Amino acid sequence: MGEVLVVLVLASLTALATGLGAVPFAFVSRISSAVEARANALAAGLMLGASFGLAAEGTHRGGWQTMAGAVGGVLFILLVHRLLDRHRFSFETAKSVPGEAAGGSAAAAKRALLVLIVMTAHSAAEGVAVGVGFGGGETLALAITVAIAVHNIPEGLAISAVLRSQGVSLVRCAGWSVFSSLPQPLLAVPAFLFVELFQATLPYGLGFAAGAMAFLVLQELLPEAYGNAPARAVSLFVTVSLVLMVLFQRSL
Amino acid sequence: MNPVAVAFLGSSAAALTASAGSLSLLFSQRLPGVAIGWANALASGFMLGAAYLLMSAGLGYSAWAGAAAALLAVASLHAVDRAGRSALVLHALHSAPEGLAIGGAVWLGFPFGIFMIAAIAIHNVFEAIALCGDLRDRGASVSRTAVLAAGSNSGQVAVATLSAALVWLFPFLLPWVLGAAVGSLAYLVMVDLLPRSYQEIGKTSISLVTLAAMAILVLLGIPG
């Protein structure tokens, strides 16, 4: 019971960290797309570093099982995206809904809703990562928790940027940002209990989280970053945060 | 065999295999964008997989030295890249990471060194497919593209041999060479290969191809 509580509290902290993305808007009215791109690149490096940590722990326990889990993680994200696409929800449409330039409030509200839905769908995989991270030991768990918490801040920044431009208050921006990450504590606990009860599934779970997170980086964060900042700036942010993330995991 | 000799012979063989990239032109005089995008995605996956394996192996030596070397390598390549995208700069950007990967890997055991050389050789072929497509568009003959593809990797041989020799003379440099290889491999993928891949085809297929190539390399390269 004590361990479950720890998982719940730490996974809740990662969700709360998303709210920090609203903080810059206490000082500035808007964030440029170039800054958002660099934030995405930073998040991409942290996520890749966390994926490396999960994959390393998984392959240590079983290479083929970890790879099978990674395939499952990629398929999970593809399935989520297919469901979102069916309802015309995607990362691109979330960033620019046609008609918004005309200043239509309905389009603006739709954009805010899209961003929220897409971010919420993403955080499901991150919740599983936190849960299985605890199954892999305290060191890995702490590293993954910190990585996802720090990575959540740029996600909160993206959500707050859209909401703030619609005149939503700072507190509500933070609140909706946290809301988008609620699947993290909600899925972290069952994921942890599952790998605890069925130890043999741990490498599959670690692979699932690693595959899902790496796929999100390649399919969404990087293209989004390349679209709004020079490749060399994106590369610098990704590689530096990746190296620091790996060093952090190693230093624990 | 001495690891320095393995690095020299292996990187030379890897550089020569790049000429196989021109064989693609025998089937199609002008490569479609999809083929170039996938070739770059496969090359990206192999480089990220190599970076992961070198990092996993190198962490056992000195994580702090490795991280410092990785950051120094990234800063150096970033500075070179900012100076301009001349042919020489692009050559340096590609040669250094791959050469360092071979130069460091040969000191992690003969089988791992050979595995890394084979991985870089395969990566060179995919990279050369994209390069040969560009050269053919500029009017180069197929045989000339083969020679240029192999020649473009000559820096790889020099860096691999030099870095392996440095570790031979100063063994404490091994984590620095491994760290520099990891940082520069990741930087090259992010600054050049992936952006070019995304330009050619959809991001979902690029992501899948990159991850599949990376997974295969990691799975084959992990010990046991």
Side-chain angles (χ1 to χ4, degrees):
Chain A
M1 185 62 196
E3 278 186 312
V4 172
L5 195 62
V6 171
V7 175
L8 184 65
V9 168
L10 288 180
S12 301
L13 286 176
T14 66
L16 286 174
T18 320
L20 293 175
V23 171
F25 295 96
F27 308 101
V28 293
S29 57
R30 62 181 293 275
I31 299 281
S32 73
S33 56
V35 171
E36 262 191 76
R38 284 162 174 79
N40 274 327
L42 183 77
L46 291 172
M47 292 266 278
L48 270 184
S51 302
F52 278 15
L54 288 163
E57 187 65 31
T59 50
H60 184 63
R61 293 160 190 265
W64 288 102
Q65 293 92 323
T66 305
M67 288 306 156
V71 170
V74 171
L75 290 176
F76 170 77
I77 297 295
L78 281 173
L79 183 68
V80 168
H81 283 184
R82 175 155 286 200
L83 290 172
L84 291 172
D85 286 346
R86 192 173 289 173
H87 300 283
R88 296 180 180 278
F89 295 143
S90 74
F91 212 61
E92 287 84 5
T93 52
K95 290 286 173 186
S96 58
V97 172
E100 189 204 19
S105 61
K110 186 181 176 188
R111 182 182 173 202
L113 182 66
L114 290 180
V115 170
L116 205 59
I117 290 171
V118 171
M119 293 301 186
T120 305
H122 283 182
S123 67
E126 291 150 11
V128 173
V130 173
V132 297
F134 276 92
E138 283 180 12
T139 304
L140 179 68
L142 192 57
I144 301 301
T145 303
V146 170
I148 290 177
V150 176
H151 142 270
N152 278 348
I153 299 172
E155 287 205 349
L157 186 79
I159 292 170
S160 300
V162 176
L163 293 176
R164 195 68 178 144
S165 66
Q166 313 311 321
V168 176
S169 73
L170 205 61
V171 175
R172 280 177 181 270
C173 283
W176 282 115
S177 297
V178 173
F179 176 82
S180 75
S181 289
L182 279 185
Q184 283 170 21
L186 295 178
L187 282 172
V189 172
F192 168 69
L193 287 174
F194 192 79
V195 294
E196 277 292 292
L197 280 173
F198 307 101
Q199 280 286 324
T201 62
L202 183 55
Y204 293 97
L206 292 164
F208 179 94
M213 285 167 61
F215 187 67
L216 278 176
V217 166
L218 286 166
Q219 208 215 11
E220 290 185 352
L221 291 178
L222 286 177
E224 180 69 15
Y226 287 130
N228 293 301
R232 70 170 68 98
V234 173
S235 186
L236 186 68
F237 275 79
V238 173
T239 45
V240 169
S241 56
L242 169 64
V243 169
L244 293 179
M245 183 63 214
V246 170
L247 183 65
F248 172 71
Q249 290 179 61
R250 187 66 188 178
S251 304
L252 285 174
Chain B
M1 189 185 283
N2 185 303
V4 181
V6 174
F8 173 71
L9 294 173
S11 58
S12 300
L16 287 174
T17 54
S19 58
S22 66
L23 293 176
S24 60
L25 295 170
L26 297 177
F27 303 100
S28 172
Q29 286 300 299
R30 187 176 288 266
L31 292 176
V34 173
I36 293 174
W38 281 355
N40 276 323
L42 282 166
S44 300
F46 270 78
M47 286 193 112
L48 284 177
Y52 173 85
L53 290 172
L54 288 168
M55 185 194 73
S56 301
L59 281 173
Y61 292 89
S62 169
W64 284 95
L71 294 175
L72 273 173
V74 169
S76 306
L77 288 178
H78 187 68
V80 169
D81 196 25
R82 277 176 70 95
R85 282 290 180 96
S86 65
L88 191 67
V89 167
L90 281 172
H91 183 66
L93 268 177
H94 282 256
S95 298
E98 295 149 8
L100 285 167
I102 293 174
V106 294
W107 287 100
L108 297 173
F110 186 75
F112 187 78
I114 294 297
F115 178 80
M116 188 56 63
I117 288 165
I120 296 291
I122 295 169
H123 152 87
N124 283 347
V125 175
F126 292 125
E127 205 174 58
I129 289 173
L131 175 68
C132 291
D134 283 348
L135 292 170
R136 188 72 176 147
D137 285 346
R138 292 181 199 173
S141 65
V142 175
S143 56
R144 188 167 167 77
T145 61
V147 172
L148 288 173
S152 70
N153 287 298
S154 55
Q156 204 177 93
V157 181
V159 176
T161 311
L162 186 67
S163 54
L166 273 174
V167 176
W168 189 31
L169 293 171
F170 310 104
F172 67 90
L173 286 178
L174 180 57
W176 290 84
V177 169
L178 293 173
V182 171
S184 55
L185 283 169
Y187 185 84
L188 175 60
V189 168
M190 298 297 160
V191 82
D192 192 39
L193 295 176
L194 274 181
R196 279 200 279 157
S197 301
Y198 287 126
Q199 281 170 10
E200 298 292 349
I201 37 173
K203 57 187 184 168
T204 300
S205 54
I206 289 298
S207 307
L208 289 173
V209 170
T210 303
L211 275 184
M214 184 182 171
I216 289 168
L217 195 72
V218 169
L219 206 52
L220 294 175
I222 50 176

